[in-house]
Amino acid sequence: MSEASPEDELEQRRRIARQFIEVIPHARALGMHLDQLTGEGAEISLPWREDLVGDPRSGVIHGGVISALMDTCSGAAVMAHPTGARSTATIDLRIDYMRAATPGQTIRAKASCYHITRSVAFVRAWAMDDDEARPVASATGAFTVER
Amino acid sequence: MAGRNESLDAIKTRRNNTLNALVSSVPYIRWLGITFDRRGDELTAVLPFDQKLIGNPMLPAIHGGVTAAFLEVTAIVELTWTAIWEDMEQGRIAPDAAVPESLPRLPKTIDFTVDYLRSGLPRDAYARARVVRSGRRYASVHVEAWQDQRQKLFAQATGHFLMPQDG
């Protein structure tokens, strides 16, 4: 362990975080795709699908799908943080829904862990559709840090 | 309508049909597999366990996003059910999942805060929502979810909603 360079450790962290996403059955079932993962944060996308619609009149995706995406993306950001968590779980998550996501468009979430202590990680996340200037939703959460 | 002497069958059929139309018309509720038990006007949401709901395969535990979605679905259905109850009882509306225009407009979530109290076990989950305050434009709803024991909640949530405006 002591011979590992910081680069190797960072790469290992990313691998753990990537696996963390890929083995989550619910993330796979929703069709999430991990686009980016660095010590700075995570980006995950989720294509629109008819069976995820929450309002049959408009075709807008359900808020619960956005919650699952933000929660997963936030968890990935915690796992990828350089201080190294072995595992994490959500303590609390607040989502603000600013506007309806445009039907048919992929939703992309970005999360970053802006503060971490020995046992708690504080995370902020955003969700966007094709119009990146106007976020669909924002989230703020607290997560456990299992060392 | 809804008179004291209305047949029990007619009353139950009307309420069950309305609830079924409301729930079955939303694709995501069907995808998650959520159903609703009704006792009079009291609703209990049921989320039968399924492998695709797993968020941590090592424990295993239900995904935090599934828990949030389950609570949000419960809140929206309860809020809509409460809002349309009187019109339903008076026979002014008869929602039918096959006729989109007949379905009630749904409230829009403004914000939703979930409190994760213990990890969701790989078994069925239940939830009930309480409309704390419902005004003409805004509503505040509290939801509780449990699994084996009603008193041991695994999550609770509070959400604010924008009510659908007529016309």
Side-chain angles (χ1 to χ4, degrees):
Chain A
M1 290 295 274
S2 54
E3 298 101 73
S5 69
E7 287 77 20
D8 287 346
E9 276 184 32
L10 188 62
E11 192 42 52
Q12 195 184 349
R13 285 246 69 76
R14 281 187 209 162
R15 198 169 57 241
I16 291 169
R18 200 171 286 276
Q19 283 167 353
F20 173 81
I21 300 298
E22 284 166 0
V23 301
I24 297 175
H26 190 64
R28 293 173 62 120
L30 280 174
M32 289 187 204
H33 184 263
L34 182 66
D35 297 323
Q36 202 181 1
L37 193 65
T38 67
E40 307 289 296
E43 290 186 31
I44 298 180
S45 57
L46 192 158
W48 183 90
R49 240 167 56 191
E50 206 282 327
D51 53 2
L52 303 181
V53 164
D55 189 341
R57 282 176 180 257
S58 61
V60 170
I61 216 156
H62 198 280
V65 179
I66 312 268
S67 295
L69 177 63
M70 299 278 236
D71 185 59
T72 306
C73 197
S74 299
V78 174
M79 293 299 290
H81 193 276
T83 53
R86 264 194 313 110
S87 180
T88 183
T90 320
I91 296 171
D92 133 286
L93 189 71
R94 176 196 161 108
I95 310 224
D96 291 335
Y97 294 97
M98 277 104 78
R99 66 175 174 93
T102 308
Q105 295 184 0
T106 291
I107 298 171
R108 271 172 296 274
K110 292 182 185 184
S112 68
C113 176
Y114 65 91
H115 186 73
I116 191 162
T117 71
R118 265 206 67 73
S119 37
V120 186
F122 299 88
V123 182
R124 269 194 238 290
W126 297 88
M128 266 89 59
D129 58 16
D130 291 354
D131 183 359
E132 294 212 358
R134 297 191 307 131
V136 165
S138 73
T140 170
F143 288 74
T144 66
V145 177
E146 323 283 344
R147 300 283 183 190
Chain B
M1 292 281 181
R4 192 180 180 105
N5 295 316
E6 187 186 10
S7 87
L8 183 56
D9 264 2
I11 294 172
K12 286 193 172 179
T13 301
R14 178 178 63 236
R15 293 175 184 171
N16 290 339
N17 285 353
T18 301
L19 182 59
N20 286 342
L22 184 58
V23 172
S24 70
S25 64
V26 180
Y28 183 62
I29 298 182
R30 289 201 307 268
W31 187 78
L32 281 174
I34 299 170
T35 58
F36 284 81
D37 277 355
R38 185 186 65 79
R39 295 286 180 268
D41 70 347
E42 183 193 67
L43 302 181
T44 305
V46 181
L47 176 69
F49 177 71
D50 189 280
Q51 284 299 327
K52 77 175 176 191
L53 306 181
I54 292 277
N56 183 331
M58 306 303 282
L59 291 174
I62 291 180
H63 196 288
V66 170
T67 302
F70 179 47
L71 291 165
E72 193 176 330
V73 163
T74 305
I76 291 172
V77 169
E78 177 71 38
L79 194 50
T80 307
W81 177 248
T82 305
I84 65 173
W85 175 268
E86 209 48 46
D87 281 342
M88 170 184 72
E89 288 297 283
Q90 296 306 319
R92 288 190 288 264
I93 57 162
D96 177 350
V99 186
E101 309 82 62
S102 74
L103 296 169
R105 289 179 189 280
L106 301 174
K108 289 191 168 71
T109 313
I110 299 168
D111 60 58
F112 203 70
T113 308
V114 185
D115 206 354
Y116 294 89
L117 304 169
R118 39 172 70 80
S119 75
L121 302 169
R123 43 191 95 148
D124 296 357
Y126 313 98
R128 273 190 205 142
R130 182 168 50 90
V131 178
V132 177
R133 152 94 173 129
S134 182
R136 265 167 31 83
R137 296 182 67 188
Y138 309 106
S140 177
V141 183
H142 187 259
V143 200
E144 295 182 342
W146 69 97
Q147 293 188 298
D148 298 325
Q149 292 169 269
R150 177 67 182 88
Q151 293 308 311
K152 291 180 78 176
L153 303 181
F154 77 100
Q156 62 178 355
T158 295
H160 295 95
F161 297 85
L162 187 61
M163 299 306 289
Q165 302 298 306
D166 295 331

